[in-house]
Amino acid sequence: MSYDVGAGDLVLCVNAAPNHVTGEAVPLVAGETYRVLGIMPFLCPCGRSDALLDVGIGFAWCQTRFRLLPKPKAKTRIRKASTPKELEKTR
């Protein structure tokens, strides 16, 4: 594999061309993000990939259709604590 993809990773579809083996239209959308459900170590018939990705649509797709997105980094946010307003009592 050109990069390490694991189950649960987010991938970006960069190629929604027809199936390169059968010529049928694919239900993937270029520019959409998909979550990888599973990886099947299998030589793709096109010869460009050594794994097929299961993204929950159809059966499995050649890894060359996707690019791995970076994992989001957790950021700590400092929040200001709210304090009750002091009111002056008037007669």
Side-chain angles (χ1 to χ4, degrees):
M1 283 191 219
S2 58
Y3 49 84
D4 293 324
V5 179
D9 286 343
L10 291 175
V11 290
L12 178 70
C13 178
V14 294
N15 182 359
N19 189 314
H20 52 262
V21 177
T22 63
E24 297 175 10
V26 299
L28 302 172
V29 178
E32 288 286 320
T33 303
Y34 298 95
R35 184 167 303 278
V36 176
L37 300 177
I39 301 166
M40 292 168 252
F42 179 78
L43 290 175
C44 185
C46 72
R48 294 178 281 173
S49 176
D50 59 355
L52 298 176
L53 302 182
D54 179 11
V55 294
I57 297 176
F59 176 64
W61 305 99
C62 180
Q63 184 182 4
T64 59
R65 291 187 181 270
F66 303 98
R67 295 294 174 263
L68 180 64
L69 292 175
K71 294 185 180 183
K73 296 179 182 177
K75 295 181 182 179
T76 58
R77 295 189 329 196
I78 299 172
R79 295 185 180 189
K80 196 182 281 188
S82 61
T83 57
K85 293 182 181 179
E86 292 184 26
L87 301 176
E88 289 183 26
K89 292 186 177 183
T90 59
R91 291 187 180 207

